[in-house]
Protein backbone atom coordinates (compact mmCIF):
# COMPACT_ATOMS: atom_id res chain seq x y z
CA UNK A 1 0.00 0.00 0.00
CA UNK A 2 1.49 3.31 -1.06
CA UNK A 3 2.02 5.98 1.48
CA UNK A 4 1.19 9.60 0.53
CA UNK A 5 4.02 11.75 1.85
CA UNK A 6 2.55 14.98 0.45
CA UNK A 7 2.43 17.62 3.16
CA UNK A 8 -0.08 20.43 3.23
CA UNK A 9 1.69 23.83 3.36
CA UNK A 10 0.88 25.91 6.41
CA UNK A 11 0.83 29.72 6.27
CA UNK A 12 3.96 31.12 7.79
CA UNK A 13 3.78 33.83 10.41
CA UNK A 14 5.82 36.86 9.25
CA UNK A 15 8.70 37.55 11.56
CA UNK A 16 10.00 40.72 9.93
CA UNK A 17 7.52 43.59 10.22
CA UNK A 18 9.74 46.04 8.35
CA UNK A 19 11.07 47.93 11.40
CA UNK A 20 13.96 46.63 13.39
CA UNK A 21 14.48 47.14 17.07
CA UNK A 22 17.54 49.26 16.31
CA UNK A 23 15.42 51.59 14.17
CA UNK A 24 12.87 51.98 16.94
CA UNK A 25 15.61 52.85 19.41
CA UNK A 26 17.09 55.34 16.96
CA UNK A 27 13.70 57.01 16.45
CA UNK A 28 13.15 57.25 20.21
CA UNK A 29 16.61 58.78 20.66
CA UNK A 30 15.88 61.34 17.96
CA UNK A 31 12.67 62.45 19.69
CA UNK A 32 14.38 62.57 23.08
CA UNK A 33 17.34 64.49 21.66
CA UNK A 34 15.10 67.07 19.99
CA UNK A 35 13.16 67.54 23.24
CA UNK A 36 16.42 68.15 25.12
CA UNK A 37 17.66 70.58 22.45
CA UNK A 38 14.29 72.35 22.55
CA UNK A 39 14.49 72.77 26.31
CA UNK A 40 18.04 74.09 26.08
CA UNK A 41 17.04 76.55 23.37
CA UNK A 42 14.03 77.65 25.42
CA UNK A 43 16.21 78.35 28.46
CA UNK A 44 18.67 80.25 26.28
CA UNK A 45 15.93 82.48 24.83
CA UNK A 46 14.45 83.14 28.28
CA UNK A 47 17.87 84.14 29.58
CA UNK A 48 18.46 86.45 26.62
CA UNK A 49 15.04 88.04 27.05
CA UNK A 50 16.24 89.52 30.36
CA UNK A 51 19.33 91.01 28.74
CA UNK A 52 17.89 92.60 25.60
CA UNK A 53 15.51 95.41 24.76
CA UNK A 54 13.93 93.40 21.93
CA UNK A 55 11.46 91.80 24.31
CA UNK A 56 8.71 91.99 21.68
CA UNK A 57 10.42 89.12 19.79
CA UNK A 58 12.73 87.52 22.37
CA UNK A 59 10.36 86.52 25.16
CA UNK A 60 8.60 83.55 26.74
CA UNK A 61 6.12 83.15 23.87
CA UNK A 62 8.94 82.91 21.34
CA UNK A 63 10.73 80.39 23.54
CA UNK A 64 7.60 78.21 23.67
CA UNK A 65 7.21 78.36 19.87
CA UNK A 66 10.84 77.33 19.33
CA UNK A 67 10.45 74.45 21.79
CA UNK A 68 7.36 73.18 19.99
CA UNK A 69 9.17 73.39 16.66
CA UNK A 70 12.00 71.21 17.99
CA UNK A 71 9.58 68.65 19.40
CA UNK A 72 7.44 68.51 16.26
CA UNK A 73 10.55 68.33 14.09
CA UNK A 74 11.85 65.41 16.12
CA UNK A 75 8.56 63.53 15.80
CA UNK A 76 8.43 64.06 12.01
CA UNK A 77 12.07 62.98 11.69
CA UNK A 78 11.42 59.82 13.69
CA UNK A 79 8.35 58.98 11.62
CA UNK A 80 10.37 59.40 8.43
CA UNK A 81 12.96 57.03 9.86
CA UNK A 82 10.27 54.48 10.63
CA UNK A 83 8.96 54.74 7.10
CA UNK A 84 5.49 55.88 8.12
CA UNK A 85 5.82 59.18 6.27
CA UNK A 86 6.28 57.38 2.97
CA UNK A 87 2.72 56.02 2.83
CA UNK A 88 0.70 57.50 0.00
CA UNK A 89 -2.66 59.16 0.61
CA UNK A 90 -4.65 61.00 -2.06
CA UNK A 91 -1.72 61.19 -4.53
CA UNK A 92 0.57 62.54 -1.83
CA UNK A 93 2.42 61.18 1.17
CA UNK A 94 1.81 61.29 4.89
CA UNK A 95 5.07 63.20 5.25
CA UNK A 96 3.93 66.02 2.98
CA UNK A 97 0.62 66.29 4.83
CA UNK A 98 2.35 66.30 8.24
CA UNK A 99 4.82 68.97 7.11
CA UNK A 100 1.99 71.13 5.74
CA UNK A 101 0.02 70.84 8.99
CA UNK A 102 3.09 71.72 11.04
CA UNK A 103 3.88 74.68 8.79
CA UNK A 104 0.36 76.09 9.07
CA UNK A 105 0.31 75.55 12.84
CA UNK A 106 3.48 77.56 13.39
CA UNK A 107 2.32 80.20 10.92
CA UNK A 108 -0.82 80.54 13.05
CA UNK A 109 1.28 80.96 16.21
CA UNK A 110 3.46 83.61 14.57
CA UNK A 111 0.44 85.49 13.18
CA UNK A 112 -1.33 85.45 16.54
CA UNK A 113 1.81 86.60 18.37
CA UNK A 114 2.33 89.44 15.87
CA UNK A 115 -1.31 90.55 16.16
CA UNK A 116 -1.19 90.57 19.97
CA UNK A 117 2.08 92.50 19.95
CA UNK A 118 0.74 95.13 17.56
CA UNK A 119 -2.32 95.67 19.76
CA UNK A 120 -0.40 95.65 23.07
CA UNK A 121 2.31 98.04 21.86
CA UNK A 122 -0.14 100.59 20.45
CA UNK A 123 -1.21 101.91 23.84
CA UNK A 124 -4.68 102.98 24.89
CA UNK A 125 -4.93 105.97 22.55
CA UNK A 126 -3.86 104.26 19.31
CA UNK A 127 -5.44 100.90 20.13
CA UNK A 128 -8.63 101.30 18.01
CA UNK A 129 -6.66 102.18 14.87
CA UNK A 130 -4.07 99.45 15.32
CA UNK A 131 -6.82 96.93 16.11
CA UNK A 132 -8.07 97.01 12.52
CA UNK A 133 -4.55 96.90 11.11
CA UNK A 134 -3.58 93.95 13.31
CA UNK A 135 -6.66 91.94 12.33
CA UNK A 136 -6.16 92.61 8.62
CA UNK A 137 -2.52 91.50 8.89
CA UNK A 138 -3.58 88.42 10.86
CA UNK A 139 -6.10 87.20 8.28
CA UNK A 140 -3.88 87.98 5.27
CA UNK A 141 -0.95 86.14 6.88
CA UNK A 142 -3.08 83.08 7.60
CA UNK A 143 -4.54 83.09 4.09
CA UNK A 144 -1.08 83.09 2.49
CA UNK A 145 0.12 80.40 4.93
CA UNK A 146 -2.91 78.25 4.10
CA UNK A 147 -2.20 78.20 0.37
CA UNK A 148 1.50 77.57 0.97
CA UNK A 149 0.55 74.66 3.22
CA UNK A 150 -1.60 73.23 0.40
CA UNK A 151 1.40 73.45 -1.90
CA UNK A 152 3.65 71.74 0.67
CA UNK A 153 1.04 69.01 1.09
CA UNK A 154 1.53 68.10 -2.57
CA UNK A 155 -1.85 69.23 -3.83
CA UNK A 156 -0.50 72.05 -6.01
CA UNK A 157 -2.13 70.40 -9.01
CA UNK A 158 -5.52 70.77 -7.34
CA UNK A 159 -4.70 74.29 -6.13
CA UNK A 160 -6.22 75.93 -9.20
CA UNK A 161 -9.47 74.07 -8.70
CA UNK A 162 -9.49 75.06 -5.04
CA UNK A 163 -8.91 78.71 -5.92
CA UNK A 164 -11.69 78.59 -8.50
CA UNK A 165 -14.07 77.03 -5.98
CA UNK A 166 -13.12 79.63 -3.38
CA UNK A 167 -13.64 82.40 -5.93
CA UNK A 168 -17.11 81.15 -6.85
CA UNK A 169 -17.97 80.71 -3.18
CA UNK A 170 -16.72 84.21 -2.47
CA UNK A 171 -18.95 85.66 -5.17
CA UNK A 172 -21.99 83.82 -3.82
CA UNK A 173 -21.24 84.84 -0.27
CA UNK A 174 -20.59 88.38 -1.43
CA UNK A 175 -24.09 88.67 -2.85
CA UNK A 176 -25.55 86.96 0.21
CA UNK A 177 -23.65 89.11 2.72
CA UNK A 178 -23.24 92.50 1.05
CA UNK A 179 -23.86 94.32 4.31
CA UNK A 180 -21.15 92.41 6.14
CA UNK A 181 -18.63 93.01 3.36
CA UNK A 182 -19.47 96.72 3.13
CA UNK A 183 -19.14 97.08 6.89
CA UNK A 184 -15.76 95.34 6.80
CA UNK A 185 -14.48 97.52 3.96
CA UNK A 186 -15.76 100.64 5.71
CA UNK A 187 -13.94 99.55 8.86
CA UNK A 188 -10.69 99.27 6.87
CA UNK A 189 -11.22 102.71 5.32
CA UNK A 190 -11.92 104.18 8.74
CA UNK A 191 -8.57 102.86 9.93
CA UNK A 192 -6.81 105.02 7.36
CA UNK A 193 -9.14 107.99 7.91
CA UNK A 194 -8.93 107.75 11.75
CA UNK A 195 -11.91 109.97 12.65
CA UNK A 196 -12.53 108.35 16.06
CA UNK A 197 -10.74 106.98 19.09
CA UNK A 198 -12.05 105.18 22.15
CA UNK A 199 -13.13 107.72 24.77
CA UNK A 200 -13.94 110.51 22.28
CA UNK A 201 -17.13 112.49 22.71
CA UNK A 202 -18.80 112.50 19.30
CA UNK A 203 -21.94 113.43 17.43
CA UNK A 204 -22.95 111.14 14.54
CA UNK A 205 -26.04 112.44 12.82
CA UNK A 206 -28.57 112.85 15.60
CA UNK A 207 -26.69 110.54 17.99
CA UNK A 208 -24.32 111.81 20.67
CA UNK A 209 -22.20 110.01 23.21
CA UNK A 210 -18.79 108.54 24.04
CA UNK A 211 -17.03 105.98 21.82
CA UNK A 212 -16.86 102.70 23.77
CA UNK A 213 -15.43 100.28 21.18
CA UNK A 214 -14.38 100.23 17.51
CA UNK A 215 -14.67 96.83 15.84
CA UNK A 216 -14.13 95.54 12.34
CA UNK A 217 -17.85 95.57 11.51
CA UNK A 218 -19.41 98.10 13.89
CA UNK A 219 -18.72 100.88 16.39
CA UNK A 220 -20.34 101.14 19.80
CA UNK A 221 -21.36 104.48 21.32
CA UNK A 222 -22.46 105.05 24.93
CA UNK A 223 -25.15 107.74 24.80
CA UNK A 224 -25.46 110.45 27.44
CA UNK A 225 -28.37 108.60 29.06
CA UNK A 226 -26.22 105.47 29.52
CA UNK A 227 -27.66 103.41 26.67
CA UNK A 228 -25.49 101.48 24.20
CA UNK A 229 -25.78 102.34 20.51
CA UNK A 230 -24.30 100.02 17.87
CA UNK A 231 -23.59 101.75 14.56
CA UNK A 232 -22.60 99.68 11.48
CA UNK A 233 -19.31 100.93 10.05
CA UNK A 234 -20.88 101.49 6.63
CA UNK A 235 -23.41 103.93 8.08
CA UNK A 236 -20.75 105.51 10.28
CA UNK A 237 -18.36 105.99 7.36
CA UNK A 238 -21.05 107.73 5.29
CA UNK A 239 -22.24 109.98 8.15
CA UNK A 240 -21.10 113.42 9.27
CA UNK A 241 -18.91 112.78 12.32
CA UNK A 242 -18.39 115.60 14.82
CA UNK A 243 -15.53 114.75 17.18
CA UNK A 244 -15.61 117.03 20.21
CA UNK A 245 -12.33 115.65 21.59
CA UNK A 246 -10.18 115.68 18.44
CA UNK A 247 -8.25 118.78 19.51
CA UNK A 248 -7.03 119.68 22.99
CA UNK A 249 -9.03 122.93 23.23
CA UNK A 250 -12.60 123.79 22.32
CA UNK A 251 -14.53 127.07 22.18
CA UNK A 252 -17.42 127.79 24.54
CA UNK A 253 -20.23 129.80 22.90
CA UNK A 254 -22.75 131.56 25.14
CA UNK A 255 -25.25 134.22 24.02
CA UNK A 256 -26.83 136.31 26.75
CA UNK A 257 -29.36 139.15 26.45
CA UNK A 258 -29.62 142.38 28.48
CA UNK A 259 -32.37 144.98 28.45
CA UNK A 260 -32.23 147.94 26.07
CA UNK A 261 -32.10 150.32 29.02
CA UNK A 262 -28.91 148.72 30.39
CA UNK A 263 -25.38 149.93 29.65
CA UNK A 264 -23.93 147.42 27.18
CA UNK A 265 -20.33 148.55 27.68
CA UNK A 266 -20.64 148.07 31.42
CA UNK A 267 -22.11 144.61 30.93
CA UNK A 268 -19.21 143.67 28.64
CA UNK A 269 -16.65 144.80 31.26
CA UNK A 270 -18.41 142.77 33.95
CA UNK A 271 -18.50 139.65 31.78
CA UNK A 272 -14.78 140.00 30.96
CA UNK A 273 -13.98 140.27 34.67
CA UNK A 274 -15.98 137.09 35.28
CA UNK A 275 -14.06 135.24 32.56
CA UNK A 276 -10.75 136.39 34.03
CA UNK A 277 -11.76 134.84 37.34
CA UNK A 278 -12.41 131.36 35.90
CA UNK A 279 -9.10 129.40 35.90
CA UNK A 280 -10.08 126.98 33.10
CA UNK A 281 -10.81 129.80 30.62
CA UNK A 282 -7.68 130.06 28.47
CA UNK A 283 -5.87 133.37 28.06
CA UNK A 284 -4.76 132.30 24.58
CA UNK A 285 -6.79 132.45 22.43
CA UNK A 286 -8.17 135.56 24.16
CA UNK A 287 -11.86 135.46 25.15
CA UNK A 288 -14.19 137.66 23.09
CA UNK A 289 -17.21 139.54 24.48
CA UNK A 290 -19.19 141.80 22.11
CA UNK A 291 -22.67 142.94 21.14
CA UNK A 292 -23.82 140.42 18.58
CA UNK A 293 -27.45 141.26 17.82
CA UNK A 294 -30.31 143.61 18.59
CA UNK A 295 -33.19 141.20 19.06
CA UNK A 296 -36.86 141.91 19.70
CA UNK A 297 -36.63 141.97 23.49
CA UNK A 298 -32.93 142.29 24.36
CA UNK A 299 -29.46 143.35 23.32
CA UNK A 300 -27.64 140.05 22.67
CA UNK A 301 -24.08 139.83 23.94
CA UNK A 302 -21.88 137.03 22.56
CA UNK A 303 -19.36 135.29 24.84
CA UNK A 304 -16.62 133.31 23.09
CA UNK A 305 -14.07 131.64 25.38
CA UNK A 306 -11.67 128.72 24.91
CA UNK A 307 -11.29 125.85 27.37
CA UNK A 308 -9.71 122.37 27.53
CA UNK A 309 -11.87 119.93 25.57
CA UNK A 310 -12.33 117.54 28.48
CA UNK A 311 -13.53 120.45 30.70
CA UNK A 312 -15.76 122.13 28.13
CA UNK A 313 -19.09 121.33 29.79
CA UNK A 314 -17.87 122.40 33.25
CA UNK A 315 -16.56 125.71 31.90
CA UNK A 316 -19.75 126.46 30.00
CA UNK A 317 -22.03 125.87 32.97
CA UNK A 318 -19.79 127.97 35.23
CA UNK A 319 -19.72 130.86 32.75
CA UNK A 320 -23.51 130.96 32.59
CA UNK A 321 -23.87 130.78 36.36
CA UNK A 322 -21.20 133.37 37.23
CA UNK A 323 -22.22 135.85 34.52
CA UNK A 324 -25.86 135.70 35.61
CA UNK A 325 -24.86 136.33 39.21
CA UNK A 326 -22.53 139.22 38.33
CA UNK A 327 -25.13 140.97 36.15
CA UNK A 328 -27.79 140.62 38.85
CA UNK A 329 -25.44 142.17 41.43
CA UNK A 330 -24.70 145.06 39.06
CA UNK A 331 -28.43 145.71 38.52
CA UNK A 332 -28.34 144.80 34.83
CA UNK A 333 -31.59 143.20 33.81
CA UNK A 334 -31.72 140.04 31.75
CA UNK A 335 -35.20 140.53 30.22
CA UNK A 336 -37.77 137.95 29.30
CA UNK A 337 -39.51 138.13 25.89
CA UNK A 338 -41.89 141.10 25.65
CA UNK A 339 -44.63 141.94 23.15
CA UNK A 340 -46.55 145.16 22.45
CA UNK A 341 -50.10 144.61 21.17
CA UNK A 342 -51.78 147.23 18.95
CA UNK A 343 -55.55 147.29 18.32
CA UNK A 344 -57.22 148.86 15.31
CA UNK A 345 -60.07 150.35 17.38
CA UNK A 346 -59.78 152.13 20.70
CA UNK A 347 -60.58 149.90 23.66
CA UNK A 348 -62.87 151.15 26.36
CA UNK A 349 -62.45 149.69 29.83
CA UNK A 350 -65.02 150.22 32.56
CA UNK A 351 -63.57 150.32 36.08
CA UNK A 352 -65.86 150.16 39.09
CA UNK A 353 -64.88 151.07 42.59
CA UNK A 354 -65.38 148.35 45.16
CA UNK A 355 -67.54 150.70 47.26
CA UNK A 356 -69.90 151.38 44.38
CA UNK A 357 -70.31 147.67 43.78
CA UNK A 358 -71.23 147.19 47.46
CA UNK A 359 -73.85 149.97 47.34
CA UNK A 360 -75.42 148.48 44.22
CA UNK A 361 -75.49 145.10 45.91
Amino acid sequence: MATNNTTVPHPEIPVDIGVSLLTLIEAALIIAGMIVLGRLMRRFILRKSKETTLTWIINEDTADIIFRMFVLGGIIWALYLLGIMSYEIWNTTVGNIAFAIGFFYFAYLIAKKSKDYMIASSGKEARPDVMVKAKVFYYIFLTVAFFLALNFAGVSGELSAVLAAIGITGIVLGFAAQTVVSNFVSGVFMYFDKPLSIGDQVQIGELEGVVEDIRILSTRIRAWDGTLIRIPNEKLFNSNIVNFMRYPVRRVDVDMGISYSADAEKAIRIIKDVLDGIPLVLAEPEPLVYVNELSDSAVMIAIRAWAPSEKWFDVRTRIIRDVKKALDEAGIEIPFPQRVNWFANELRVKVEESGEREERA
Side-chain angles (χ1 to χ4, degrees):
M1 184 175 179
T3 304
N4 189 2
N5 295 325
T6 305
T7 58
V8 179
H10 296 281
E12 296 181 356
I13 300 176
V15 179
D16 186 11
I17 60 175
V19 178
S20 64
L21 180 60
L22 182 60
T23 305
L24 289 173
I25 295 175
E26 187 178 355
L29 290 176
I30 289 175
I31 296 176
M34 295 300 287
I35 292 176
V36 172
L37 289 177
R39 290 184 181 275
L40 292 176
M41 184 60 68
R42 184 178 185 277
R43 292 180 182 178
F44 175 77
I45 294 176
L46 291 177
R47 185 170 65 251
K48 286 297 182 181
S49 65
K50 300 177 181 178
E51 303 173 359
T52 182
T53 57
L54 301 176
T55 54
W56 64 274
I57 190 172
I58 304 177
N59 51 36
E60 185 176 357
D61 293 335
T62 304
D64 291 337
I65 293 176
I66 296 298
F67 174 73
R68 295 176 188 177
M69 291 179 65
F70 271 90
V71 174
L72 184 59
I75 294 174
I76 293 177
W77 187 2
L79 293 177
Y80 266 113
L81 186 63
L82 296 174
I84 298 176
M85 293 297 189
S86 301
Y87 289 128
E88 293 187 359
I89 299 178
W90 300 323
N91 297 327
T92 185
T93 62
V94 175
N96 292 338
I97 296 176
F99 180 78
I101 294 174
F103 172 80
F104 183 76
Y105 172 68
F106 286 108
Y108 161 75
L109 294 179
I110 294 173
K112 185 176 184 299
K113 175 180 171 60
S114 301
K115 182 191 71 173
D116 294 341
Y117 166 73
M118 294 171 65
I119 295 175
S121 62
S122 64
K124 185 177 181 180
E125 295 297 329
R127 184 184 179 97
D129 301 332
V130 178
M131 182 80 71
V132 177
K133 180 180 179 181
K135 290 182 178 180
V136 171
F137 168 80
Y138 174 77
Y139 289 116
I140 292 177
F141 191 92
L142 285 186
T143 301
V144 174
F146 173 74
F147 287 111
L148 288 176
L150 288 180
N151 190 32
F152 293 150
V155 293
S156 57
E158 294 81 1
L159 189 58
S160 300
V162 173
L163 289 174
I166 292 177
I168 296 174
T169 304
I171 294 174
V172 174
L173 292 178
F175 283 107
Q178 293 182 11
T179 303
V180 175
V181 175
S182 61
N183 286 332
F184 174 79
V185 174
S186 299
V188 174
F189 286 159
M190 285 184 59
Y191 159 72
F192 294 103
D193 194 23
K194 298 179 181 179
L196 302 175
S197 296
I198 291 180
D200 287 350
Q201 299 177 11
V202 297
Q203 178 181 351
I204 303 171
E206 298 179 353
L207 304 176
E208 288 190 28
V210 179
V211 179
E212 287 287 315
D213 191 13
I214 301 176
R215 301 187 179 182
I216 197 68
L217 297 178
S218 63
T219 299
R220 286 161 170 75
I221 307 294
R222 177 169 55 85
W224 301 124
D225 59 358
T227 57
L228 178 65
I229 304 174
R230 177 187 176 275
I231 305 176
N233 283 339
E234 179 188 12
K235 181 179 179 181
L236 182 66
F237 187 74
N238 294 323
S239 300
N240 294 327
I241 301 175
V242 180
N243 192 334
F244 299 119
M245 305 294 292
R246 184 66 173 182
Y247 301 107
V249 296
R250 182 180 169 193
R251 194 177 71 180
V252 178
D253 295 347
V254 176
D255 294 322
M256 187 166 292
I258 62 174
S259 65
Y260 275 91
S261 60
D263 187 348
E265 293 297 328
K266 179 181 178 181
I268 291 175
R269 290 195 302 270
I270 293 174
I271 295 173
K272 287 184 176 180
D273 292 339
V274 170
L275 296 179
D276 292 338
I278 300 177
L280 292 177
V281 173
L282 302 181
E284 288 291 336
E286 182 181 1
L288 297 177
V289 183
Y290 55 92
V291 175
N292 186 40
E293 182 185 358
L294 300 177
S295 66
D296 295 339
S297 304
V299 177
M300 302 303 300
I301 296 179
I303 304 172
R304 305 291 184 261
W306 292 85
S309 296
E310 65 273 11
K311 297 294 183 181
W312 179 87
F313 183 77
D314 297 336
V315 173
R316 187 177 189 278
T317 54
R318 181 169 177 180
I319 288 177
I320 295 175
R321 182 193 64 190
D322 292 355
V323 169
K324 170 67 168 58
K325 181 179 179 181
L327 293 180
D328 288 344
E329 292 176 352
I332 297 178
E333 179 187 0
I334 300 177
F336 51 86
Q338 301 178 15
R339 295 289 184 271
V340 177
N341 297 325
W342 296 89
F343 297 92
N345 298 322
E346 182 180 357
L347 296 180
R348 294 183 179 183
V349 180
K350 182 179 181 181
V351 179
E352 296 182 355
E353 296 292 338
S354 60
E356 295 177 357
R357 289 199 299 270
E358 291 178 357
E359 291 178 359
R360 292 178 181 178

